[in-house]
Amino acid sequence: IMMASHSLKYQEKNRKSITILVLGDEEVGKSSLISTFVARHFSEAVPSVMTRIRLPPDLGTQVVTTICDSKADKASAMLSTARSNGSLTFLSSQQKEYEKIGTLASNTTTNSTVQQKGVDSIILVYDLHKFETFVRLENHWLPLIERHYNGKVPVIVAGNKLDLFLQTETCMAENPLSAQVQMHQHLVPLLQRFHFVRECIRCSAKNLLCVQEVFVKAQEAILYPLPPIFDTASARMTKKCKKAFTRIFRMYDKDNDGLLSNSELNDFQHQTFLVPLGKKDLAGWTSNIRWYAEEEEVVRDGKLTLAGFLALFVFLIDKNCLGMPWKVLRKFGYSDSLDLTIPKHFQGINFPSLSTASREFLMALFNQFDSDMDGILSSDDIKDIFSIISEPALPPWYPVRAKRLLKGCFSFPKDTYERKLPEDSSTKNPLDKIDFSLSAGGIIIASATPFHSVSKLCSSFDGVTLPPMTQFDWMGHWHMLTKISPSVAAAELYRLGHRSSSFQNMKRLKNRRRKEKELLVVVVGSKGCGKTSLIQFLLNKDPYKTEPTVMSETSTTHDKYEINALEKDELREDIVVHFIFTEVPRVLQTKENFKSLISLPRDQEVLVVFCFNTEKSLLDSIKLEETLLQDDVPRIFVISKNQDNKGTKLVYRAAEEHCQKLDLEIPIPTNSFEESKSKNQRKFILKHFAQCGLEEIFFDDTHLKKVKPYTEKKRRLGEIHKIRTCISGLVVVAAAVALVCDFFLEVL
């Protein structure tokens, strides 16, 4: 399915240069190997130590490569000295030699925050003709490199002088392959012990055999690193890599059946590698990757499964075609640490409504992951949806993620989760326990047991139980997130595999009838007036279980209504209204905050809540209305803690007079603590809010609500202005006709 690895071209944005250090015993051919690679010609006369060579960038990588030769005894001594002194820097007396053989300092130090220019990869050379030089690899060089670089620098082992090795008396007398088998048997234990050894290559500087391959592999060890995508210790694909490829799989599973058809695979192949998929490619790859799928189905109904898709990349890693997986990962926005890069244009999105494509994508996710097809997402279903994002793999409205994603936003989703995290995770940062450190290196010599990768994605939050969600709950939470921060919602949809912008095509969406509407309801009022209890009641939760609100909190609920048809020939239809309540505590009710919160006058309203038991609460609410709200902002006065006594009647009469003065709807009384009337009262209040906030929806038993000050007065003034304009126009026309008539009479 894929192109050849040598044809992959990629320029790492943060990678400008690569430094390769060549190490090994004396007279193993280090300098000859470098000279032959640079000159493309073998020379008998080369210096004992080559000077530092700086190669210009090629057209593919645009990365400058520096090759540093070394002298065995001094390089070994310097590495040992640096380690024994407890530092990764060198003594001042060794600086001159240090300049000759290249930087041997590590990229990072444990005792210092200062990063030093370091070696990116190492070519370790031994003489195939002298077995003792190979023994020195395992007993001296590799342990020394491991101690000094902590196994973080990849090593390419190069067996030089292959021409002499094949001409030995042993090889000439016996089967030449027997010597190669013996060497293979010695290499396997070495590779199993030192996981940072990426590859073992036999070459000949004299005959120019595999010389270029040695240096190319040293470059690729940096450009296409193995540790982020594969754990050699467990012989499995890393968790972050599996998440990334699962996300890519979902992006091309257009019919959401959990399989990739030939058409979907062809789209992936063409968009990633610009090469169409051959007719027999899928069948050919199936036989190769079946062994890597851990006995899971690779193909079902002629389509590629997720297990098969992951096994395909494990197969490529096993065959050392690392450029292939990295080409795909970088194509889809993943960095070298497999962190997904969110496009910058998402940060500028400020339209607080989902597009049609986004709604369809979210509904497709719901239907695909509803495992038992009962119209409800279970806790495990929700976790499966978010299993492809980085830890913590939880919904964006879950408290742990919301505090990070929505940092700097005016509001946060209300924490309604009753189940707490496990004790070992609740008091500490959950991400601190996730180990992203991976062992470096890889084994190229094929072994009897292949690498495996496909296993269920797990999370450090598997013990968390999420409440089940219906279809309307699912969509309501996404509408809530969009109202809080459109850019965060767009980025989260992108993480889940939605390829188009979440907020495009809004002009077309406005002119189209939808079966869902969302209404932002901002709740303000004096401290202790009952805002939280009112919202709890409207969310169908216990109004007694409340805590003081210290920051703005947003929650969501929904209800279904029957509305009139727009045309006479149309039938009535149902519409679901998602109510997004944002409670603003008294200390945050300022003009500056409301400018960002009430940015658009469409599909939003403000509840001005006051307590029925005290006149002070009403006066404070009226003062807030006059200070915060402009005339074009819809507002509703709501009475909380309703009680029937003389004092409350006076407060209600004062509130009613204020609303009549502003030509607003009279205050709506609520009593969330009367259980006998709670259900009917809740539906009545929500319907009233919908009628007030969604002007384009006309219910069969109501008229347009008055929610903006002096609405009727302004309407009448507008009509009077139109009449005056019309009369003025008629007067002007009449005067013009009279002038024309006078002119003709004079002429006659």
Side-chain angles (χ1 to χ4, degrees), residues 549-602:
T549 304
V550 295
M551 64 179 66
S552 297
E553 294 182 338
T554 302
S555 51
T556 179
T557 187
H558 65 272
D559 208 350
K560 184 184 293 186
Y561 305 102
E562 184 183 76
I563 62 174
N564 290 331
L566 294 179
E567 303 293 340
K568 293 183 179 180
D569 297 336
E570 295 181 359
L571 299 176
R572 293 186 178 184
E573 59 179 350
D574 291 337
I575 187 169
V576 175
V577 178
H578 295 280
F579 299 90
I580 295 96
F581 293 99
T582 297
E583 180 185 358
V584 184
R586 181 65 181 89
V587 294
L588 298 180
Q589 296 173 16
T590 62
K591 285 186 177 181
E592 291 74 15
N593 291 334
F594 266 72
K595 285 181 181 179
S596 59
L597 185 61
I598 309 294
S599 57
L600 296 172
R602 183 180 178 85

Side-chain angles (χ1 to χ4, degrees), residues 615 618-619 622 649-659 667:
E615 187 178 3
L618 173 62
L619 296 177
I622 293 176
K649 289 181 179 179
L650 294 176
V651 174
Y652 179 78
R653 191 174 302 167
E656 187 177 22
E657 290 177 356
H658 175 74
C659 291

Side-chain angles (χ1 to χ4, degrees), residues 137-195:
L137 297 183
E138 187 173 8
N139 297 338
H140 174 69
W141 285 109
L142 288 174
L144 190 62
I145 294 171
E146 184 179 36
R147 289 196 305 269
H148 185 74
Y149 293 104
N150 298 321
K152 295 181 179 180
V153 175
V155 174
I156 304 297
V157 175
N160 195 19
K161 302 184 181 182
L162 181 61
D163 53 310
L164 296 178
F165 175 71
L166 296 177
Q167 294 175 5
T168 58
E169 293 181 1
T170 304
C171 291
M172 294 297 293
E174 302 176 3
N175 183 1
L177 294 177
S178 62
Q180 300 180 26
V181 172
Q182 291 180 359
M183 187 60 67
H184 175 88
Q185 293 174 349
H186 290 295
L187 284 173
V188 171
L190 181 143
L191 293 170
Q192 292 175 344
R193 176 183 173 186
F194 302 101
H195 294 290

Side-chain angles (χ1 to χ4, degrees), residues 337-387:
S337 58
L338 293 186
D339 294 322
L340 182 62
T341 303
I342 305 300
K344 292 183 179 180
H345 68 269
F346 279 11
Q347 300 176 1
I349 295 175
N350 57 9
F351 199 96
S353 185
L354 295 170
S355 68
T356 304
S358 301
R359 296 168 191 265
E360 292 175 351
F361 172 78
L362 290 170
M363 286 306 305
L365 274 182
F366 183 93
N367 295 327
Q368 180 181 357
F369 286 89
D370 182 10
S371 56
D372 50 7
M373 305 298 292
D374 62 347
I376 298 176
L377 290 178
S378 66
S379 177
D380 291 338
D381 295 338
I382 299 173
K383 290 179 183 178
D384 287 342
I385 293 177
F386 293 95
S387 63

